Amino acid sequence: MEKTDNKEMKSRRNRTGPYPMEKLKRVDIPTTKITDGVARFDERQHGFARVMRGELGAVPQKEMMRFIGKYPLGAAFTQAMAGLAGIKAGEPARTKAPIPEDPVLLSQHIKQLGYFLRADIMGICRLPQYAVYSHDMMGREINLEHKNAIVIVVDQDYDTMLGSTGDDWISGSQSFIGYSNAALISGIMADYIRRLGYPARAHNATGYQVVVPPLLLLAGIGEMSRAGIVVNPFLGARFKAAVVTTDLPLEPDKPVDFGLQKFCEKCLKCAVECHSGAIAKGGKVMYNGYETWHFDAGQCSKFRTSNPHGSSCGRCIKVCPWNKPPGWTHNTARWMIKNTPFMDSFLVKMDNLRGYGKQDDLFKWWFDLEEIDGELKVPQKKGSVSF
Ligand code: SF4
Ligand code: SF4
């Protein structure tokens, strides 16, 4: 399998970000139909909140507090994340900085700041009220009136994903490399905007007040997939995102269309490979005002917390055919999906024949370890599991 090493990506990183997002087809509305009937979501209804309350069984409830920290690198990430919680919110400076209030110029400035801070993709959209949680995990009502949302995307590392099964001991830490870097970038960015004299709040894994997937669609980061996660054509779903909401004047981006809706109809790879049965194999349904594939967040959260042979899970992300490095062969496949959708089934077959989605031991750099009663032990079993 190919490693990520691309000269063009390196040369454009600080100007426009490493990926050629400007080449994607832009559309006026997301490819997932969003009706007027979307109700604001209560964070207490999330899968992990249900696990915590014991609604999904005693084992996931018990494992909830250790499923990331039982792996030593995961424990190190969660410790570091706690330190980032303090820079999410605050009051803006009393006077505005002497900078032009030009939304186009400020959008370019904010995106370049994101790339300087090592974001992989940046996007901007207006903040619709349906993307603001009605209540947080503690049951507190949320009022957030900021006009704009800045979306910050961080890769979970392609090469590590090559060496992983997607549901082994590094899985939780792969999520947390994305979460922690996105939390740092969003925290610094929100603080910077407040110092310029504009209100701003960071939303990241230390505490979100916004629902991220619709913002990923509106800001043109990707399209909603069968796996219930947003897929980007260059990263697949191998990323985590943070958001900065603000009243800084900004120019919104447009949603993208790279052919994912038709492709996911033909490709069931994530649904076949998921151990929990969370991903539907059928067609789209209406859910809370969105027309998309049914995704059972409860089953997914249950598996991720109680996975006995690893820390969390990202197997759907690992096996998705969009989880690919840059390069002309994959760029040709991307072009075909957009322009010759009748070839989609053939491309899925080729993906399987070439062995994509399998673990490659050459890329496995970490130790398999599990913390039990304060001691690190070598786990008894490894590899893929049944649930
Ligand atoms: S994270 Fe794992 S359990 Fe959840 S949907 Fe993906 S493959 Fe299934
Ligand atoms: S694995 Fe296939 S069906 Fe699942 S999200 Fe990726 S492209 Fe869509």
Side-chain angles (χ1 to χ4, degrees):
M1 300 278 175
E2 312 90 307
K3 274 192 89 161
T4 310
D5 185 14
N6 188 296
K7 280 191 190 131
E8 191 198 341
M9 282 172 70
K10 282 178 187 153
S11 75
R12 52 176 290 149
R13 179 170 243 297
N14 275 22
R15 288 177 292 117
T16 51
Y19 298 99
M21 293 293 290
E22 72 282 358
K23 291 190 181 160
L24 298 179
K25 181 183 166 192
R26 297 281 166 168
V27 288
D28 290 331
I29 51 170
T31 53
T32 292
K33 191 172 168 193
I34 306 175
T35 67
D36 292 338
V38 180
R40 284 176 66 189
F41 196 76
D42 186 327
E43 202 181 13
R44 291 170 294 181
Q45 295 312 312
H46 261 311
F48 287 133
R50 294 176 59 206
V51 167
M52 243 186 284
R53 290 196 295 271
E55 290 172 20
L56 299 171
V59 174
Q61 186 184 30
K62 183 168 157 275
E63 292 293 299
M64 176 73 200
M65 298 319 287
R66 68 180 289 272
F67 80 106
I68 299 295
K70 68 184 177 182
Y71 185 64
L73 186 56
F77 272 123
T78 47
Q79 177 88 2
M81 290 284 287
L84 292 173
I87 56 170
K88 277 198 299 277
E91 289 301 313
R94 269 183 286 121
T95 50
K96 287 200 167 117
I99 55 172
E101 285 208 320
D102 173 349
V104 174
L105 190 140
L106 288 176
S107 297
Q108 183 58 29
H109 171 70
I110 285 296
K111 285 182 183 174
Q112 285 198 253
L113 169 65
Y115 295 129
F116 167 71
L117 294 170
R118 289 304 181 259
D120 289 300
I121 301 176
M122 298 288 300
I124 293 170
C125 64
R126 299 280 181 247
L127 176 65
Q129 276 301 302
Y130 67 75
V132 178
Y133 283 120
S134 63
H135 297 80
D136 69 11
M137 287 281 197
M138 309 305 292
R140 290 173 296 218
E141 202 176 317
I142 294 176
N143 293 301
L144 183 70
E145 302 283 344
H146 292 157
K147 289 189 193 72
N148 297 314
I150 303 161
V151 181
I152 298 156
V153 167
V154 176
D155 190 352
Q156 295 181 36
D157 192 50
Y158 177 73
D159 295 344
T160 299
M161 197 65 97
L162 276 182
S164 161
T165 59
D167 54 15
D168 53 15
W169 294 93
I170 197 69
S171 298
S173 298
Q174 282 189 269
S175 293
F176 271 75
I177 187 73
Y179 280 137
S180 59
N181 287 351
L184 180 66
I185 296 168
S186 59
I188 292 172
M189 186 176 283
D191 192 1
Y192 170 70
I193 293 172
R194 291 194 296 268
R195 285 167 196 272
L196 295 179
Y198 297 86
R201 187 197 194 278
H203 306 264
N204 53 49
T206 69
Y208 289 93
Q209 288 189 337
V210 295
V211 188
V212 175
L215 301 179
L216 291 167
L217 302 184
L218 294 169
I221 303 296
E223 291 185 56
M224 182 54 75
S225 73
R226 177 184 288 282
I229 38 182
V230 171
V231 164
N232 169 272
F234 307 111
L235 295 177
R238 196 191 63 241
F239 64 85
K240 294 295 178 198
V243 174
V244 173
T245 58
T246 180
D247 287 336
L248 185 73
L250 295 170
E251 179 78 359
D253 292 306
K254 281 182 157 194
V256 292
D257 177 358
F258 55 93
L260 184 73
Q261 303 308 298
K262 282 206 162 60
F263 192 80
C264 279
E265 271 173 25
K266 300 276 165 49
C267 169
L268 298 173
K269 219 166 160 176
C270 53
V272 170
E273 294 286 337
C274 170
H275 304 295
S276 75
I279 304 172
K281 292 184 178 152
K284 290 185 180 181
V285 293
M286 284 306 294
Y287 171 72
N288 188 27
Y290 296 90
E291 189 183 16
T292 188
W293 291 276
H294 177 256
F295 177 73
D296 192 334
Q299 280 300 102
C300 172
S301 304
K302 200 171 151 183
F303 179 78
R304 284 158 80 188
T305 45
S306 50
N307 177 1
H309 307 313
S311 167
S312 193
C313 176
R315 184 144 178 82
C316 47
I317 298 171
K318 154 88 183 178
V319 300
C320 177
W322 295 89
N323 172 34
K324 293 286 190 313
W328 73 268
T329 40
H330 303 310
N331 289 342
T332 306
R334 288 178 185 107
W335 184 90
M336 286 173 75
I337 291 164
K338 182 75 205 87
N339 296 289
T340 57
F342 58 89
M343 297 288 281
D344 284 355
S345 299
F346 169 75
L347 289 172
V348 176
K349 269 190 198 134
M350 288 302 293
D351 200 80
N352 289 329
L353 276 176
R354 294 210 60 198
Y356 286 114
K358 292 210 163 41
Q359 181 183 24
D360 186 339
D361 277 332
L362 274 180
F363 292 88
K364 185 170 184 287
W365 55 265
W366 58 95
F367 301 115
D368 289 342
L369 292 167
E370 180 177 10
E371 188 270 331
I372 299 171
D373 298 330
E375 248 183 77
L376 289 177
K377 307 233 163 108
V378 175
Q380 292 303 303
K381 295 178 189 168
K382 63 175 196 174
S384 293
V385 292
S386 298
F387 183 59

PDB file of all heavy atoms in Angstrom, residues 332-355:
ATOM      1  N   THR A 332      -7.923   9.207 -10.445  1.00  0.00           N
ATOM      2  CA  THR A 332      -8.699   8.717 -11.591  1.00  0.00           C
ATOM      3  C   THR A 332      -9.998   8.088 -11.096  1.00  0.00           C
ATOM      4  O   THR A 332     -11.080   8.315 -11.656  1.00  0.00           O
ATOM      5  CB  THR A 332      -7.871   7.671 -12.381  1.00  0.00           C
ATOM      6  OG1 THR A 332      -6.627   8.265 -12.718  1.00  0.00           O
ATOM      7  CG2 THR A 332      -8.594   7.234 -13.646  1.00  0.00           C
ATOM      8  N   ALA A 333      -9.902   7.293 -10.010  1.00  0.00           N
ATOM      9  CA  ALA A 333     -11.123   6.675  -9.444  1.00  0.00           C
ATOM     10  C   ALA A 333     -12.083   7.760  -8.963  1.00  0.00           C
ATOM     11  O   ALA A 333     -13.299   7.672  -9.193  1.00  0.00           O
ATOM     12  CB  ALA A 333     -10.749   5.743  -8.295  1.00  0.00           C
ATOM     13  N   ARG A 334     -11.548   8.810  -8.330  1.00  0.00           N
ATOM     14  CA  ARG A 334     -12.406   9.909  -7.861  1.00  0.00           C
ATOM     15  C   ARG A 334     -13.128  10.553  -9.050  1.00  0.00           C
ATOM     16  O   ARG A 334     -14.315  10.857  -8.983  1.00  0.00           O
ATOM     17  CB  ARG A 334     -11.566  10.972  -7.117  1.00  0.00           C
ATOM     18  CG  ARG A 334     -11.074  10.504  -5.757  1.00  0.00           C
ATOM     19  CD  ARG A 334     -10.215  11.563  -5.071  1.00  0.00           C
ATOM     20  NE  ARG A 334      -9.664  11.038  -3.834  1.00  0.00           N
ATOM     21  CZ  ARG A 334      -8.396  10.695  -3.626  1.00  0.00           C
ATOM     22  NH1 ARG A 334      -7.507  10.846  -4.588  1.00  0.00           N
ATOM     23  NH2 ARG A 334      -8.004  10.204  -2.476  1.00  0.00           N
ATOM     24  N   TRP A 335     -12.382  10.743 -10.148  1.00  0.00           N
ATOM     25  CA  TRP A 335     -12.976  11.349 -11.354  1.00  0.00           C
ATOM     26  C   TRP A 335     -14.074  10.434 -11.901  1.00  0.00           C
ATOM     27  O   TRP A 335     -15.154  10.898 -12.291  1.00  0.00           O
ATOM     28  CB  TRP A 335     -11.878  11.569 -12.413  1.00  0.00           C
ATOM     29  CG  TRP A 335     -12.378  12.268 -13.646  1.00  0.00           C
ATOM     30  CD1 TRP A 335     -12.395  13.617 -13.857  1.00  0.00           C
ATOM     31  CD2 TRP A 335     -12.970  11.665 -14.808  1.00  0.00           C
ATOM     32  NE1 TRP A 335     -12.966  13.888 -15.078  1.00  0.00           N
ATOM     33  CE2 TRP A 335     -13.324  12.711 -15.683  1.00  0.00           C
ATOM     34  CE3 TRP A 335     -13.237  10.357 -15.191  1.00  0.00           C
ATOM     35  CZ2 TRP A 335     -13.923  12.492 -16.922  1.00  0.00           C
ATOM     36  CZ3 TRP A 335     -13.846  10.125 -16.420  1.00  0.00           C
ATOM     37  CH2 TRP A 335     -14.179  11.179 -17.267  1.00  0.00           C
ATOM     38  N   MET A 336     -13.818   9.129 -11.932  1.00  0.00           N
ATOM     39  CA  MET A 336     -14.808   8.177 -12.481  1.00  0.00           C
ATOM     40  C   MET A 336     -16.091   8.177 -11.660  1.00  0.00           C
ATOM     41  O   MET A 336     -17.198   8.116 -12.206  1.00  0.00           O
ATOM     42  CB  MET A 336     -14.207   6.765 -12.517  1.00  0.00           C
ATOM     43  CG  MET A 336     -13.183   6.582 -13.628  1.00  0.00           C
ATOM     44  SD  MET A 336     -12.368   4.991 -13.502  1.00  0.00           S
ATOM     45  CE  MET A 336     -13.656   3.888 -14.097  1.00  0.00           C
ATOM     46  N   ILE A 337     -15.950   8.243 -10.338  1.00  0.00           N
ATOM     47  CA  ILE A 337     -17.151   8.222  -9.485  1.00  0.00           C
ATOM     48  C   ILE A 337     -18.012   9.446  -9.776  1.00  0.00           C
ATOM     49  O   ILE A 337     -19.234   9.375  -9.821  1.00  0.00           O
ATOM     50  CB  ILE A 337     -16.742   8.152  -7.996  1.00  0.00           C
ATOM     51  CG1 ILE A 337     -16.130   6.782  -7.707  1.00  0.00           C
ATOM     52  CG2 ILE A 337     -17.943   8.408  -7.087  1.00  0.00           C
ATOM     53  CD1 ILE A 337     -15.347   6.692  -6.412  1.00  0.00           C
ATOM     54  N   LYS A 338     -17.350  10.566 -10.025  1.00  0.00           N
ATOM     55  CA  LYS A 338     -18.100  11.808 -10.302  1.00  0.00           C
ATOM     56  C   LYS A 338     -18.715  11.775 -11.697  1.00  0.00           C
ATOM     57  O   LYS A 338     -19.855  12.213 -11.896  1.00  0.00           O
ATOM     58  CB  LYS A 338     -17.141  13.019 -10.165  1.00  0.00           C
ATOM     59  CG  LYS A 338     -17.806  14.357 -10.380  1.00  0.00           C
ATOM     60  CD  LYS A 338     -18.656  14.748  -9.177  1.00  0.00           C
ATOM     61  CE  LYS A 338     -19.780  15.702  -9.501  1.00  0.00           C
ATOM     62  NZ  LYS A 338     -21.016  15.102  -9.940  1.00  0.00           N
ATOM     63  N   ASN A 339     -17.965  11.245 -12.668  1.00  0.00           N
ATOM     64  CA  ASN A 339     -18.386  11.402 -14.068  1.00  0.00           C
ATOM     65  C   ASN A 339     -18.965  10.153 -14.713  1.00  0.00           C
ATOM     66  O   ASN A 339     -19.673  10.254 -15.715  1.00  0.00           O
ATOM     67  CB  ASN A 339     -17.199  11.909 -14.903  1.00  0.00           C
ATOM     68  CG  ASN A 339     -16.773  13.293 -14.453  1.00  0.00           C
ATOM     69  OD1 ASN A 339     -17.473  14.274 -14.689  1.00  0.00           O
ATOM     70  ND2 ASN A 339     -15.646  13.375 -13.760  1.00  0.00           N
ATOM     71  N   THR A 340     -18.659   8.964 -14.191  1.00  0.00           N
ATOM     72  CA  THR A 340     -19.202   7.729 -14.798  1.00  0.00           C
ATOM     73  C   THR A 340     -19.775   6.837 -13.690  1.00  0.00           C
ATOM     74  O   THR A 340     -19.250   5.762 -13.405  1.00  0.00           O
ATOM     75  CB  THR A 340     -18.094   6.961 -15.562  1.00  0.00           C
ATOM     76  OG1 THR A 340     -17.022   6.677 -14.645  1.00  0.00           O
ATOM     77  CG2 THR A 340     -17.564   7.739 -16.741  1.00  0.00           C
ATOM     78  N   PRO A 341     -20.894   7.282 -13.056  1.00  0.00           N
ATOM     79  CA  PRO A 341     -21.425   6.537 -11.907  1.00  0.00           C
ATOM     80  C   PRO A 341     -21.836   5.098 -12.242  1.00  0.00           C
ATOM     81  O   PRO A 341     -21.882   4.263 -11.337  1.00  0.00           O
ATOM     82  CB  PRO A 341     -22.640   7.377 -11.466  1.00  0.00           C
ATOM     83  CG  PRO A 341     -22.898   8.367 -12.541  1.00  0.00           C
ATOM     84  CD  PRO A 341     -21.644   8.536 -13.313  1.00  0.00           C
ATOM     85  N   PHE A 342     -22.059   4.779 -13.546  1.00  0.00           N
ATOM     86  CA  PHE A 342     -22.409   3.397 -13.898  1.00  0.00           C
ATOM     87  C   PHE A 342     -21.231   2.446 -13.642  1.00  0.00           C
ATOM     88  O   PHE A 342     -21.391   1.231 -13.638  1.00  0.00           O
ATOM     89  CB  PHE A 342     -22.871   3.318 -15.374  1.00  0.00           C
ATOM     90  CG  PHE A 342     -21.842   3.808 -16.357  1.00  0.00           C
ATOM     91  CD1 PHE A 342     -20.899   2.943 -16.890  1.00  0.00           C
ATOM     92  CD2 PHE A 342     -21.815   5.145 -16.745  1.00  0.00           C
ATOM     93  CE1 PHE A 342     -19.944   3.395 -17.784  1.00  0.00           C
ATOM     94  CE2 PHE A 342     -20.856   5.612 -17.636  1.00  0.00           C
ATOM     95  CZ  PHE A 342     -19.917   4.734 -18.151  1.00  0.00           C
ATOM     96  N   MET A 343     -20.023   3.014 -13.395  1.00  0.00           N
ATOM     97  CA  MET A 343     -18.848   2.182 -13.102  1.00  0.00           C
ATOM     98  C   MET A 343     -18.657   1.955 -11.593  1.00  0.00           C
ATOM     99  O   MET A 343     -17.689   1.307 -11.179  1.00  0.00           O
ATOM    100  CB  MET A 343     -17.576   2.855 -13.653  1.00  0.00           C
ATOM    101  CG  MET A 343     -17.540   3.032 -15.149  1.00  0.00           C
ATOM    102  SD  MET A 343     -17.304   1.466 -15.976  1.00  0.00           S
ATOM    103  CE  MET A 343     -15.543   1.245 -15.754  1.00  0.00           C
ATOM    104  N   ASP A 344     -19.560   2.472 -10.755  1.00  0.00           N
ATOM    105  CA  ASP A 344     -19.363   2.420  -9.296  1.00  0.00           C
ATOM    106  C   ASP A 344     -19.180   0.989  -8.777  1.00  0.00           C
ATOM    107  O   ASP A 344     -18.274   0.717  -7.983  1.00  0.00           O
ATOM    108  CB  ASP A 344     -20.546   3.085  -8.569  1.00  0.00           C
ATOM    109  CG  ASP A 344     -20.494   4.615  -8.649  1.00  0.00           C
ATOM    110  OD1 ASP A 344     -19.500   5.144  -9.184  1.00  0.00           O
ATOM    111  OD2 ASP A 344     -21.449   5.266  -8.184  1.00  0.00           O
ATOM    112  N   SER A 345     -20.058   0.076  -9.242  1.00  0.00           N
ATOM    113  CA  SER A 345     -19.963  -1.318  -8.739  1.00  0.00           C
ATOM    114  C   SER A 345     -18.613  -1.923  -9.109  1.00  0.00           C
ATOM    115  O   SER A 345     -17.994  -2.643  -8.307  1.00  0.00           O
ATOM    116  CB  SER A 345     -21.082  -2.178  -9.326  1.00  0.00           C
ATOM    117  OG  SER A 345     -22.306  -1.660  -8.929  1.00  0.00           O
ATOM    118  N   PHE A 346     -18.148  -1.627 -10.338  1.00  0.00           N
ATOM    119  CA  PHE A 346     -16.853  -2.139 -10.793  1.00  0.00           C
ATOM    120  C   PHE A 346     -15.729  -1.615  -9.881  1.00  0.00           C
ATOM    121  O   PHE A 346     -14.836  -2.363  -9.471  1.00  0.00           O
ATOM    122  CB  PHE A 346     -16.629  -1.709 -12.246  1.00  0.00           C
ATOM    123  CG  PHE A 346     -15.237  -1.936 -12.744  1.00  0.00           C
ATOM    124  CD1 PHE A 346     -14.801  -3.228 -13.066  1.00  0.00           C
ATOM    125  CD2 PHE A 346     -14.329  -0.877 -12.874  1.00  0.00           C
ATOM    126  CE1 PHE A 346     -13.501  -3.449 -13.502  1.00  0.00           C
ATOM    127  CE2 PHE A 346     -13.036  -1.085 -13.305  1.00  0.00           C
ATOM    128  CZ  PHE A 346     -12.621  -2.375 -13.626  1.00  0.00           C
ATOM    129  N   LEU A 347     -15.807  -0.326  -9.521  1.00  0.00           N
ATOM    130  CA  LEU A 347     -14.764   0.259  -8.668  1.00  0.00           C
ATOM    131  C   LEU A 347     -14.757  -0.366  -7.270  1.00  0.00           C
ATOM    132  O   LEU A 347     -13.699  -0.588  -6.685  1.00  0.00           O
ATOM    133  CB  LEU A 347     -14.951   1.780  -8.571  1.00  0.00           C
ATOM    134  CG  LEU A 347     -14.625   2.557  -9.854  1.00  0.00           C
ATOM    135  CD1 LEU A 347     -15.021   4.021  -9.713  1.00  0.00           C
ATOM    136  CD2 LEU A 347     -13.140   2.461 -10.193  1.00  0.00           C
ATOM    137  N   VAL A 348     -15.959  -0.678  -6.745  1.00  0.00           N
ATOM    138  CA  VAL A 348     -16.025  -1.337  -5.426  1.00  0.00           C
ATOM    139  C   VAL A 348     -15.368  -2.716  -5.521  1.00  0.00           C
ATOM    140  O   VAL A 348     -14.573  -3.110  -4.654  1.00  0.00           O
ATOM    141  CB  VAL A 348     -17.485  -1.467  -4.936  1.00  0.00           C
ATOM    142  CG1 VAL A 348     -17.549  -2.247  -3.627  1.00  0.00           C
ATOM    143  CG2 VAL A 348     -18.121  -0.091  -4.742  1.00  0.00           C
ATOM    144  N   LYS A 349     -15.648  -3.434  -6.630  1.00  0.00           N
ATOM    145  CA  LYS A 349     -15.037  -4.775  -6.810  1.00  0.00           C
ATOM    146  C   LYS A 349     -13.520  -4.652  -6.879  1.00  0.00           C
ATOM    147  O   LYS A 349     -12.780  -5.431  -6.280  1.00  0.00           O
ATOM    148  CB  LYS A 349     -15.557  -5.393  -8.115  1.00  0.00           C
ATOM    149  CG  LYS A 349     -16.795  -6.229  -7.903  1.00  0.00           C
ATOM    150  CD  LYS A 349     -17.151  -7.024  -9.126  1.00  0.00           C
ATOM    151  CE  LYS A 349     -18.600  -7.453  -8.980  1.00  0.00           C
ATOM    152  NZ  LYS A 349     -19.400  -7.260 -10.160  1.00  0.00           N
ATOM    153  N   MET A 350     -13.022  -3.673  -7.639  1.00  0.00           N
ATOM    154  CA  MET A 350     -11.573  -3.474  -7.768  1.00  0.00           C
ATOM    155  C   MET A 350     -10.941  -3.172  -6.412  1.00  0.00           C
ATOM    156  O   MET A 350      -9.847  -3.648  -6.098  1.00  0.00           O
ATOM    157  CB  MET A 350     -11.275  -2.301  -8.726  1.00  0.00           C
ATOM    158  CG  MET A 350     -11.549  -2.608 -10.177  1.00  0.00           C
ATOM    159  SD  MET A 350     -10.609  -4.028 -10.761  1.00  0.00           S
ATOM    160  CE  MET A 350      -8.955  -3.403 -10.699  1.00  0.00           C
ATOM    161  N   ASP A 351     -11.656  -2.376  -5.614  1.00  0.00           N
ATOM    162  CA  ASP A 351     -11.165  -2.015  -4.288  1.00  0.00           C
ATOM    163  C   ASP A 351     -10.960  -3.276  -3.450  1.00  0.00           C
ATOM    164  O   ASP A 351      -9.933  -3.441  -2.785  1.00  0.00           O
ATOM    165  CB  ASP A 351     -12.199  -1.085  -3.620  1.00  0.00           C
ATOM    166  CG  ASP A 351     -11.598  -0.284  -2.486  1.00  0.00           C
ATOM    167  OD1 ASP A 351     -10.948   0.721  -2.776  1.00  0.00           O
ATOM    168  OD2 ASP A 351     -11.765  -0.685  -1.325  1.00  0.00           O
ATOM    169  N   ASN A 352     -11.940  -4.168  -3.510  1.00  0.00           N
ATOM    170  CA  ASN A 352     -11.838  -5.422  -2.750  1.00  0.00           C
ATOM    171  C   ASN A 352     -10.735  -6.306  -3.308  1.00  0.00           C
ATOM    172  O   ASN A 352      -9.943  -6.883  -2.557  1.00  0.00           O
ATOM    173  CB  ASN A 352     -13.175  -6.168  -2.782  1.00  0.00           C
ATOM    174  CG  ASN A 352     -14.221  -5.457  -1.937  1.00  0.00           C
ATOM    175  OD1 ASN A 352     -13.881  -4.832  -0.942  1.00  0.00           O
ATOM    176  ND2 ASN A 352     -15.465  -5.538  -2.340  1.00  0.00           N
ATOM    177  N   LEU A 353     -10.666  -6.417  -4.653  1.00  0.00           N
ATOM    178  CA  LEU A 353      -9.660  -7.278  -5.280  1.00  0.00           C
ATOM    179  C   LEU A 353      -8.240  -6.827  -4.941  1.00  0.00           C
ATOM    180  O   LEU A 353      -7.344  -7.636  -4.747  1.00  0.00           O
ATOM    181  CB  LEU A 353      -9.827  -7.250  -6.808  1.00  0.00           C
ATOM    182  CG  LEU A 353     -10.879  -8.209  -7.374  1.00  0.00           C
ATOM    183  CD1 LEU A 353     -11.022  -8.011  -8.882  1.00  0.00           C
ATOM    184  CD2 LEU A 353     -10.505  -9.658  -7.062  1.00  0.00           C
ATOM    185  N   ARG A 354      -8.033  -5.519  -4.860  1.00  0.00           N
ATOM    186  CA  ARG A 354      -6.691  -4.988  -4.567  1.00  0.00           C
ATOM    187  C   ARG A 354      -6.356  -5.058  -3.077  1.00  0.00           C
ATOM    188  O   ARG A 354      -5.278  -4.668  -2.652  1.00  0.00           O
ATOM    189  CB  ARG A 354      -6.574  -3.551  -5.073  1.00  0.00           C
ATOM    190  CG  ARG A 354      -6.643  -3.474  -6.604  1.00  0.00           C
ATOM    191  CD  ARG A 354      -5.864  -2.311  -7.138  1.00  0.00           C
ATOM    192  NE  ARG A 354      -4.449  -2.377  -6.799  1.00  0.00           N
ATOM    193  CZ  ARG A 354      -3.628  -1.342  -6.840  1.00  0.00           C
ATOM    194  NH1 ARG A 354      -4.078  -0.169  -7.194  1.00  0.00           N
ATOM    195  NH2 ARG A 354      -2.360  -1.462  -6.525  1.00  0.00           N
ATOM    196  N   GLY A 355      -7.296  -5.538  -2.282  1.00  0.00           N
ATOM    197  CA  GLY A 355      -7.016  -5.748  -0.854  1.00  0.00           C
ATOM    198  C   GLY A 355      -7.097  -4.494  -0.017  1.00  0.00           C
ATOM    199  O   GLY A 355      -6.615  -4.468   1.126  1.00  0.00           O
TER     200      GLY A 355
END
